[in-house]
Amino acid sequence: MEKVKTRFAPSPTGYLHVGGARTALFSWLYARHCGGTFVLRIEDTDRERSTQPAIDAILESMEWLHLNWDEGPYYQTKRFDRYKEVIDQLIKEGKAYKCYCSKERLDQVREEQKAKGLKPRYDGHCRDDHSEHSPDEPYVVRFRNPDTGVVAFDDMVKGHIEFQNSELDDFIIQRSDGTPTYNFCVVVDDYDMGITHVIRGDDHVNNTPRQINLYHALGAKEPVFGHVAMILGDDGNKLSKRHGAVSVMQYREDGYLPEALVNYLVRLGWSHGDQEIFTVQEMIDYFTPEQINKSASSFNTKKLEWLNAHYMKTLPRAEVAQELKWHLGRLGIDTDKVAGPNLELVVKNYCERTHTLKEMAEKARCYFEDIQGYDPAGVKKWIKEGSVAILEDSLKVLQAIPEDQWQPEVIDKALEGVAAQHEVGMGKVGQPLRLAMTGTPTSPGIGDTMELVGRERTFKRISDAIAAFSAKA
Ligand code: GLU
């Protein structure tokens, strides 16, 4: 069997959005499922709309999602010589021709066709034009599309699709400024790169018959196509910025794990029984394009949140910690430079208490930098007469714990002694201490919190709190 080769071919006119990421994922999974090759190609021929920041964002998003490519990234702008060569060849063979029609003429033809109730299309005026033209007269190059017959293909997702050639006109393959067009470049590239399967958005279905005719004109066999239906927002409209985040990197900034987003995207339009949670290996093992839904799928943020919570709890802590490090970096905390707890310990304590990595980083910043004052409601509720004495006695017993025994169980036990001594419940000891440690009355168990803060810093924070709350009292 021929070796499968798929590709993802984004146009770098903006960030990578979830629809594009899902297309990339499906192409990647199919290549991996078949033991094939996955190519990344940047379709940047539209020089006005393509930008370097968009290219960077696409590459960054693909890397973050772990969608590694085996070849590329190829850039269409680096292949102009090759396109020119093929266009010249097509012209020589009479399969393409120069069209000198002016905009005015084309507008007039369109108006006449509309008036007759016909679908506007190029009328083939220059097909057999052999008149002389001056070298500076502007022209485009058009592909000579067959006049009759049917173009048919068996789409991996949508099934059999047919178009009448009489419906298609001679489309432009080279603009008047000499640049080649998308429908042309995509065919030359997929052909040259040996792409066997094209998985892409179904907004390209109408381009496919044109592209197939072009393959045939090049004496090539077309790849197998699979057109994936679009993604809708929760309200049934096409997914757009209005629905919140749509760019992959925005999801990262919002604190989602790449594993959660990938798992979410694979289920958005593809299923394997009623399984919801897939490891990457399971996705690769089970993925076939035939199981992609024919109809559009709706984005469901709640489900993504649920998957994120799942992966925060179940992924190896080192992996979650890696992502947490990135989020702390965004808060201005470089964990390689500032003193603080081991990140895996933070993950252990917070993976069940927070829903996103962004939230985890915000909660954890107090372990890396000084606390910014005390939560007034917390102070009002928990700092009472006697609290300062409790803090002072806590400090004494904690200072008696040696460095090598600075562990949650030992700390908790010592503080239980303080509660007993003052004849109060643990809340009256733990809450003022939480305020001292984090500035807020919510944190993991007090022993765990102090382990995160660290021994010396714990003493300093209790002393600071004693000073602050004594002044208040
Ligand atoms: N560059 C095209 C786009 O971003 C994709 C072309 C294709 O997959 O054939 O829509």
Side-chain angles (χ1 to χ4, degrees):
M1 209 184 95
E2 157 189 56
K3 201 167 171 219
V4 166
K5 198 166 182 186
T6 66
R7 56 31 165 212
F8 176 52
S11 304
T13 52
Y15 49 72
L16 182 63
H17 55 81
V18 286
R22 187 188 56 163
T23 304
L25 174 63
F26 285 172
S27 294
W28 181 86
L29 282 173
Y30 191 54
R32 296 289 171 260
H33 176 81
C34 301
T37 306
F38 178 63
V39 175
L40 177 62
R41 182 173 72 229
I42 306 292
E43 304 212 317
D44 55 351
T45 49
D46 185 343
R47 282 175 151 159
E48 281 189 5
R49 296 179 58 223
S50 303
T51 66
Q52 189 58 44
I55 294 174
D56 296 343
I58 291 168
L59 300 182
E60 196 186 353
S61 304
M62 296 283 288
E63 278 165 17
W64 182 64
L65 294 172
H66 307 303
L67 299 180
N68 59 326
W69 51 92
D70 308 302
E71 277 183 31
Y74 294 115
Y75 293 87
Q76 289 189 322
T77 42
K78 301 217 171 106
R79 289 175 45 79
F80 277 176
D81 290 349
R82 170 68 181 144
Y83 303 138
K84 185 92 199 78
E85 177 185 86
V86 178
I87 287 173
D88 289 346
Q89 178 201 328
L90 287 171
I91 295 176
K92 212 162 91 208
E93 293 172 357
K95 292 172 179 168
Y97 58 91
K98 294 179 181 173
C99 166
Y100 293 90
C101 290
S102 63
K103 187 177 171 299
E104 292 68 36
R105 180 178 182 278
L106 294 174
D107 287 346
Q108 195 191 334
V109 170
R110 195 171 304 120
E111 285 314 312
E112 285 169 11
Q113 287 168 334
K114 273 205 210 144
K116 288 190 200 142
L118 297 170
K119 214 168 116 191
R121 60 206 290 275
Y122 182 62
D123 64 352
H125 179 78
C126 291
R127 269 189 163 200
D128 299 302
D129 170 31
H130 299 295
S131 52
E132 284 293 314
H133 290 276
S134 114
D136 355 298
E137 193 176 339
Y139 66 86
V140 298
V141 177
R142 288 184 186 270
F143 173 65
R144 187 187 289 266
N145 196 75
D147 296 315
T148 55
V150 174
V151 202
F153 60 101
D154 289 309
D155 192 279
M156 289 190 286
V157 179
K158 294 184 182 286
H160 190 75
I161 299 181
E162 282 187 6
F163 288 85
Q164 296 293 328
N165 268 322
S166 56
E167 294 279 311
L168 310 170
D169 58 2
D170 291 349
F171 61 97
I172 296 173
I173 58 175
Q174 180 179 298
R175 301 180 189 94
S176 56
D177 64 2
T179 56
T181 59
Y182 157 71
N183 268 319
F184 171 76
C185 299
V186 78
V187 170
V188 177
D189 288 348
D190 285 338
Y191 171 52
D192 284 353
M193 294 168 194
I195 301 301
T196 60
H197 294 75
V198 168
I199 296 175
R200 61 183 174 195
D202 69 357
D203 47 334
H204 288 291
V205 169
N206 291 332
N207 288 321
T208 305
R210 295 182 171 85
Q211 294 176 9
I212 291 176
N213 284 334
L214 202 44
Y215 277 102
H216 294 171
L218 296 175
K221 185 172 157 296
E222 71 273 19
V224 178
F225 292 94
H227 288 96
V228 184
M230 63 180 166
I231 302 178
L232 306 175
D234 340 47
D235 56 359
N237 292 318
K238 189 168 188 273
L239 189 68
S240 73
K241 274 196 198 147
R242 270 185 311 113
H243 297 99
V246 279
S247 104
V248 168
M249 293 322 281
Q250 184 65 50
Y251 283 99
R252 182 178 204 191
E253 285 166 20
D254 290 348
Y256 294 96
L257 283 162
E259 289 77 4
L261 190 55
V262 163
N263 192 151
Y264 179 72
L265 290 176
V266 82
R267 282 286 294 108
L268 199 55
W270 176 83
S271 54
H272 180 76
D274 50 15
Q275 186 169 339
E276 289 293 354
I277 292 173
F278 293 86
T279 62
V280 172
Q281 193 54 51
E282 283 173 329
M283 289 179 210
I284 293 173
D285 291 344
Y286 304 152
F287 186 80
T288 60
E290 289 75 22
Q291 288 160 294
I292 296 176
N293 291 347
K294 288 188 177 49
S295 47
S297 354
S298 298
F299 204 87
N300 176 344
T301 309
K302 285 265 163 294
K303 193 161 153 195
L304 174 59
E305 284 169 4
W306 173 74
L307 281 166
N308 200 53
H310 167 80
Y311 282 104
M312 280 173 60
K313 284 181 265 189
T314 56
L315 277 183
R317 290 205 180 115
E319 260 176 64
V320 183
Q322 197 57 32
E323 200 54 24
L324 174 64
K325 183 174 162 67
W326 185 85
H327 283 277
L328 285 165
R330 277 175 59 81
L331 297 177
I333 300 165
D334 179 347
T335 53
D336 291 333
K337 297 211 178 107
V338 299
N342 178 301
L343 289 178
E344 289 180 39
L345 189 63
V346 177
V347 174
K348 176 177 174 231
N349 278 290
Y350 279 92
C351 65
E352 309 242 7
R353 310 177 70 90
T354 53
H355 299 101
T356 66
L357 272 303
K358 184 180 180 196
E359 193 189 346
M360 194 188 282
E362 277 155 7
K363 291 256 157 69
R365 69 187 304 168
C366 63
Y367 303 120
F368 297 89
E369 51 183 29
D370 290 343
I371 56 172
Q372 308 297 322
Y374 303 101
D375 168 46
V379 173
K380 188 156 182 270
K381 180 152 184 211
W382 294 106
I383 304 304
K384 304 274 179 213
E385 224 191 302
S387 299
V388 169
I390 288 175
L391 288 172
E392 283 166 348
D393 287 334
S394 299
L395 182 58
K396 272 185 220 136
V397 297
L398 291 168
Q399 279 170 331
I401 301 175
E403 176 73 59
D404 64 353
Q405 282 181 47
W406 190 254
Q407 292 147 8
E409 311 73 53
V410 181
I411 296 169
D412 284 340
K413 200 147 189 351
L415 294 175
E416 277 159 24
V418 176
Q421 180 196 336
H422 285 259
E423 297 180 341
V424 295
M426 257 314 266
K428 294 214 161 95
V429 178
Q431 293 306 81
L433 283 169
R434 280 198 175 81
L435 277 165
M437 292 299 107
T438 68
T440 75
T442 45
S443 75
I446 190 63
D448 293 305
T449 306
M450 290 183 173
E451 185 186 26
L452 287 165
V453 173
R455 188 170 177 270
E456 293 306 319
R457 221 178 206 167
T458 293
F459 301 158
K460 163 94 174 55
R461 286 190 185 181
I462 298 177
S463 305
D464 289 349
I466 291 169
F469 301 148
S470 310
K472 181 181 164 271

